[in-house]
Amino acid sequence: MAAAIDEGVGKVRRPELLNKIDVEVGINDALLLTSEDGILTALDDRTLRIWLRRQTGKYWPSVCHTLESSPTALYYYEPSRRLFCGCDSGLIHEFIVADDFNKITLECTYFGHQIRIQAVYFSYRHELLLTVCREKKLNCYSTNPTDDDRKNACGSYTLASMGMSITMDETFRQCFIGDSTGNINFLKLNANNRFEPNKPLSGHTGSVQNLLWDPDTKWLYSGSFDTAVIVWDLAAPQGVAVELNGHSDRLVGISYDNLRKLLLTCSADGHIGVWPMNVKRNETTIWLENDSCQICRMPFFWNIREMWTQKQIGLRQHHCRKCGRAVCDKCAQTRKALPLLGYETVQRICDDCIKTLRNDETVPLASFYDLRQGTIKMDYRQGKKVMMSIGTDRTIKMNFRRENIEFFGKDNAILRGWLYCPSSSSSQSAIIMTHGFSGLKEMGLDEFARIFCCDGNFYVLVYDHQTFGSSDGQPRHDINPYSQIDDYSYAMNYLENRLNNKNISIGIWGTSYSGGHVFVVGKREKQRIKCIVSQVPTISGKNNLARRPQWQKILAEDQHCLYENREYIPIVNQTNENMDLSNSFYHFFVDKYNCNEWINHMTRRSIHLYSQYEPWKSLTDLSPIPLLMIVAKHDTITSTEDQIDAYEKQVLEPKRLVLVEGGHFSVYPNEQSFDIVVKEALDWFIKYLK
């Protein structure tokens, strides 16, 4: 599984699962495709497979090519569709992938290794292939088809220890090889394809299993078995190395989003780290060594002379992570995070440094999420904003990006929600969604939005009504349909500005109470809205009130202060003795979702506003906006009869009515009619927004 990438700093957000593939054998390597919704896999059963996403939303192999031994390392250069595959036998195969990804053709087999290939790297600019294997050997091959001897290595270099990872600065032909001892071999590849060694980069204490070169900043990123990530600034005059510490297990994946300047890291215990790299960090402090504490002068346990002189038992040596001095435990008992030094977890700080430590030096910079799954590989594609992770349970999971967003609504109330971003950045269509009477976005809307985004390739904006959930607004839990209607327009403004596109095709979706709102919004915003989906909508507040005697009683009691009484009353209770809403209402809000942010009360004036709300009056003015109305056959909350009557008498073409089984709440996730309604809604949006 992988995390949805948060552009904020110091935030944690739940990853949004896009899809998964359960593989029956061990997975040695995998890569995400850029131009297609697909994955390349190297499997233990000696097969090389290409998985493509089908119309059903599931991934199925389009290619299953069997090799002489298990493929262990992959490199795919998508512009020319060249796939390089290192094998357990030491062979490296070059394939050409067909345009439709339904066939791969063997182009060349490269020799020179006798044992398992650990990593491969292809340079299209220089037509070179670099490979390392377990026999401590680095080979270089010419991949130029006109070279008669390209099957054999044109250059070779013996490493001091087993190579684990490769990357290259192609501008200056500099190669970086991470090895099993923690060193990064720094080699210059000359014009004759001979390796000229430079001083290795030393900083890790465990094998360097991940390397990544960013040609824009000339930074080298390395991830190691020692749980640390080091950023090597090789363009600096003296070279700068900044450690990033936040993981507690070995690194299994590093990717960089150069558009948003984010470093993405993944550790074997399933933790995803998101590090903003446009922040100025300080170089990691060098630890000093001393025979005594550099604050209290007490001797350390190996300083026999001072122990005898002071008649003192020697102490254990520690180090302050801020200044690097050698200190004893008594002089460094404070623990603080130091993000500007790369420490996102709490670290030991000496008594002298804590006196000068500023609050802004401890503010988190990175975000983390625990996938709760062992992970062996991570890959990310910034163009599609999709991350893939390979689990130790032989499961490949893909996730897409969902951002936490906020924008100003009516009366400058800040509305908060989610923006789902499709895999294709060229999408020109968006959907706006809100919940019904007192509902929150966490109550089933995420499943709708995920399907609209992933299967329809739409941007989807989901937000909480003002005074509810994560949105601002006072008094809290005041259900004002007119403010909620106005906020749809503010949401449209936000989308147009955010996507920098005033001509984006916008569809609106509403359910229950907001299912009535979309009628009014459609009438007001005819020039901006391309289509509408309304499920189990409120048609008439007056008609609904006639079926609710307890609400009529409250209305009568408050005749002297209509629209002003902001005292709270419960929305629903388990026995419904004093409520007019059905047991299904209680089950939905309390039993099913049990959302911590949902509170079982509303202002009394919410009922007065409800009683005057007649969204059906806007239906005749919707045309020519296409309207899909989804009605449950046994709806006792908003009345099946009222909905059908309004559709037949008030709505003009183009329109469509879908009747589904069940009651008012049967249209939500994990209920009997959800699959039908989400498919109907998706098809409607695809038809009129594309």
Side-chain angles (χ1 to χ4, degrees), residues 414-486:
I414 297 178
L415 306 182
R416 297 182 176 89
W418 304 318
L419 179 62
Y420 291 76
C421 299
S423 58
S424 172
S425 58
S426 62
S427 175
Q428 300 294 313
S429 308
I431 300 168
I432 297 174
M433 304 175 60
T434 59
H435 221 308
F437 196 85
S438 82
L440 308 182
K441 61 183 183 298
E442 290 83 3
M443 294 176 167
L445 296 196
D446 51 348
E447 186 68 11
F448 282 100
R450 184 187 67 80
I451 293 172
F452 294 158
C453 177
C454 299
D455 294 353
N457 200 41
F458 296 112
Y459 287 95
V460 184
L461 175 60
V462 185
Y463 65 93
D464 283 327
H465 292 300
Q466 58 175 281
T467 79
F468 277 91
S470 58
S471 293
D472 291 349
Q474 295 293 334
R476 300 301 293 170
H477 306 112
D478 184 48
I479 306 174
N480 186 332
Y482 308 107
S483 295
Q484 294 177 358
I485 288 167
D486 290 340

Side-chain angles (χ1 to χ4, degrees), residues 344-405:
E344 293 289 339
T345 55
V346 293
Q347 303 290 328
R348 185 185 298 272
I349 302 177
C350 71
D351 293 347
D352 289 349
C353 288
I354 200 66
K355 296 175 183 176
T356 60
L357 188 68
R358 305 188 311 272
N359 289 335
D360 63 326
E361 293 182 84
T362 63
V363 176
L365 297 176
S367 307
F368 293 91
Y369 187 80
D370 183 5
L371 301 177
R372 298 181 177 88
Q373 178 194 38
T375 306
I376 62 175
K377 176 71 185 287
M378 179 271 286
D379 193 22
Y380 173 75
R381 291 292 179 266
Q382 71 173 27
K384 302 174 70 172
K385 300 179 179 65
V386 174
M387 179 183 286
M388 172 204 70
S389 64
I390 306 174
T392 53
D393 59 356
R394 301 175 179 175
T395 299
I396 302 174
K397 295 185 178 180
M398 287 72 67
N399 296 77
F400 66 99
R401 183 163 63 109
R402 188 188 82 183
E403 301 175 15
N404 290 332
I405 56 93

Side-chain angles (χ1 to χ4, degrees), residues 602-615:
M602 62 180 173
T603 60
R604 291 174 68 102
R605 77 168 188 169
S606 299
I607 293 178
H608 305 308
L609 293 167
Y610 185 90
S611 69
Q612 301 296 316
Y613 185 43
E614 301 293 319

Side-chain angles (χ1 to χ4, degrees), residues 6 148 216 231 244 271 308 324 374 391 398 534 538 578-579 603 646:
D6 192 342
D148 295 334
D216 295 331
V231 184
L244 303 179
H271 283 79
W308 177 261
M398 287 72 67
S534 174
T538 294
N578 298 315
M579 293 292 107
T603 60

Side-chain angles (χ1 to χ4, degrees), residues 5-184:
I5 306 307
D6 192 342
E7 295 191 24
V9 172
K11 298 179 182 178
V12 177
R13 190 173 71 250
R14 180 181 178 84
E16 294 299 314
L17 182 64
L18 171 61
N19 218 316
K20 71 174 183 176
I21 304 172
D22 293 316
V23 184
E24 67 277 7
V25 295
I27 307 168
N28 295 324
D29 201 0
L31 298 172
L32 276 169
L33 296 176
T34 301
S35 60
E36 291 285 335
D37 285 331
I39 296 174
L40 295 164
T41 57
L43 305 181
D44 256 347
D45 65 354
R46 299 189 295 118
T47 62
L48 185 62
R49 303 188 192 184
I50 301 178
W51 307 75
L52 293 182
R53 188 167 179 265
R54 308 301 181 178
Q55 291 183 346
T56 61
K58 302 297 182 181
Y59 283 79
W60 293 97
S62 62
V63 170
C64 184
H65 186 87
T66 302
L67 302 170
E68 79 291 336
S69 63
S70 297
T72 57
L74 299 176
Y75 191 100
Y76 182 52
Y77 184 71
E78 197 145 0
S80 60
R81 299 183 179 274
R82 299 169 76 177
L83 171 62
F84 296 88
C85 172
C87 297
D88 197 47
S89 62
L91 296 177
I92 305 102
H93 301 294
E94 178 183 350
F95 296 94
I96 301 298
V97 180
D99 291 345
D100 59 2
F101 292 94
N102 286 319
K103 181 181 179 181
I104 60 173
T105 304
L106 181 62
E107 182 75 8
C108 184
T109 297
Y110 301 90
F111 303 93
H113 293 291
Q114 304 299 321
I115 199 170
R116 183 186 181 98
I117 302 297
Q118 292 292 108
V120 296
Y121 181 91
F122 170 63
S123 169
Y124 175 77
R125 180 174 180 176
H126 301 291
E127 282 290 350
L128 293 174
L129 176 66
L130 303 178
T131 61
V132 290
C133 67
R134 288 186 174 179
E135 59 186 353
K136 305 179 184 179
K137 190 176 181 181
L138 165 66
N139 278 352
C140 173
Y141 301 87
S142 169
T143 58
N144 192 330
T146 62
D147 192 335
D148 295 334
D149 195 35
R150 64 176 177 143
K151 293 184 177 181
N152 298 310
C154 61
S156 186
Y157 184 83
T158 301
L159 304 169
S161 58
M162 182 169 62
M164 305 296 294
S165 53
I166 312 175
T167 193
M168 184 178 183
D169 173 8
E170 298 192 21
T171 303
F172 297 101
R173 294 173 63 98
Q174 297 177 137
C175 305
F176 305 96
I177 316 298
D179 66 25
S180 58
T181 63
N183 289 324
I184 301 174

